[in-house]
């Protein structure tokens, strides 16, 4: 969850302070070769086969940006936390990637358009998901795609966005959307999970 404020905070988390340890989570840093390979395989099926322009919103420390760059894509990453952006720039030093400080809901990319907008675990926490989706669609070139990795977490007070709600929001905006269930792919998370995790790939 990223929210524009004087500090990069959300859900009680100070993302600036969390940045140094952010990559310690298996699916954040992708330091385990098997976790990294699992995300690389998924990303290869979600992104265009040919190298294109990818906008990674709420990019954090740039782990997915790095995988996209390794697969031949040009990456623009946006995050509200300056320490996260600094780590992402260091991680992708020398690659075809640019990182911008800004709000994922309204990324500071001007008139630039992209082949893919990639967003992981951000949309569910935005105050107006439908508005964000409309804006992200308008950042795509004709035939572009939205790649949205989301879920519902927790049992006592669940948070997140169910897949059926997200596909309903996308229906008037996109030509086609497919859902991939990710909960059973333990390799992505560094272990088994029992909550709802999924990806939606939608083309415009």
């Amino acid at each position: 969850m990223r929210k524009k404020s004087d500090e990069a905070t959300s859900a009680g988390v100070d993302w600036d302070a969390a940045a140094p340890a952010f990559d310690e989570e298996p699916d954040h840093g992708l330091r385990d070769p098997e976790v990294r390979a699992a995300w690389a395989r998924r990303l290869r099926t979600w992104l265009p086969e040919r190298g294109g322009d990818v906008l990674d919103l709420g990019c954090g420390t740039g782990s997915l940006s790095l995988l996209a760059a390794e697969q031949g894509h040009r990456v623009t990453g946006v995050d509200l936390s300056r320490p996260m952006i600094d780590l992402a720039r260091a991680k992708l030093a020398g690659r075809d990637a640019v990182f911008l400080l800004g709000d994922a809901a309204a990324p500071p990319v001007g008139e630039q358009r992209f082949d893919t907008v990639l967003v992981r675990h951000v949309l569910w926490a935005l105050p107006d998901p439908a508005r964000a989706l409309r804006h992200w669609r308008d950042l795509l070139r004709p035939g572009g795609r939205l790649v949205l990795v989301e879920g519902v977490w927790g049992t006592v007070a669940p948070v997140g966005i169910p897949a059926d709600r997200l596909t309903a929001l996308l229906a008037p905006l996109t030509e086609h959307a497919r859902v991939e269930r990710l909960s059973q792919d333990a390799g992505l998370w560094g272990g088994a999970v029992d909550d709802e995790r999924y990806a939606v790939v939608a083309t415009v």
Side-chain angles (χ1 to χ4, degrees):
M1 175 176 169
R2 303 296 158 88
K3 187 176 181 182
K4 201 159 190 175
S5 61
D6 291 337
E7 293 183 330
T9 60
S10 60
V13 178
D14 181 337
W15 293 107
D16 288 356
F22 188 78
D23 280 353
E24 292 176 7
E25 289 293 326
D27 59 311
H28 291 171
L30 310 185
R31 291 169 172 168
D32 183 301
E34 293 185 6
V35 175
R36 194 176 195 280
W39 280 101
R41 285 193 298 271
R42 292 282 183 169
L43 212 60
R44 193 169 287 111
T45 67
W46 297 338
L47 300 180
E49 290 184 13
R50 300 179 66 178
D53 294 304
V54 174
L55 178 61
D56 184 4
L57 297 175
C59 64
T61 62
S63 293
L64 291 188
S65 293
L66 179 58
L67 293 183
E70 289 175 343
Q71 293 177 14
H73 299 283
R74 298 172 296 277
V75 179
T76 299
V78 176
D79 201 279
L80 196 59
S81 167
R82 186 175 296 279
M84 292 281 192
I85 288 292
D86 289 343
L87 290 168
R89 286 172 176 159
K91 190 178 290 186
L92 279 84
R95 296 190 178 270
D96 196 354
V98 174
F99 292 94
L100 306 172
L101 186 69
D103 188 348
V109 295
E111 297 301 312
Q112 187 174 358
R113 294 296 177 263
F114 300 86
D115 301 297
T116 304
V117 172
L118 170 65
V119 192
R120 180 171 68 164
H121 300 166
V122 173
L123 181 70
W124 71 271
L126 296 179
D128 191 343
R131 182 177 181 180
L133 288 170
R134 289 193 299 271
H135 185 57
W136 296 344
R137 178 210 50 194
D138 292 342
L139 295 175
L140 289 169
R141 297 181 177 126
R145 63 186 72 181
L146 294 169
V147 177
L148 309 168
V149 182
E150 290 294 337
V152 179
W153 306 273
T155 54
V156 177
V159 296
I161 180 169
D164 56 355
R165 181 180 173 222
L166 180 49
T167 54
L169 290 173
L170 287 168
L173 304 175
T174 59
E175 292 290 329
H176 173 74
R178 77 173 190 270
V179 179
E180 290 187 23
R181 302 292 176 176
L182 304 180
S183 299
Q184 303 308 311
D185 190 347
L188 293 170
W189 316 110
V193 298
D194 57 7
D195 44 24
E196 181 184 5
R197 306 187 188 194
Y198 64 90
V200 175
V201 180
T203 54
V204 301

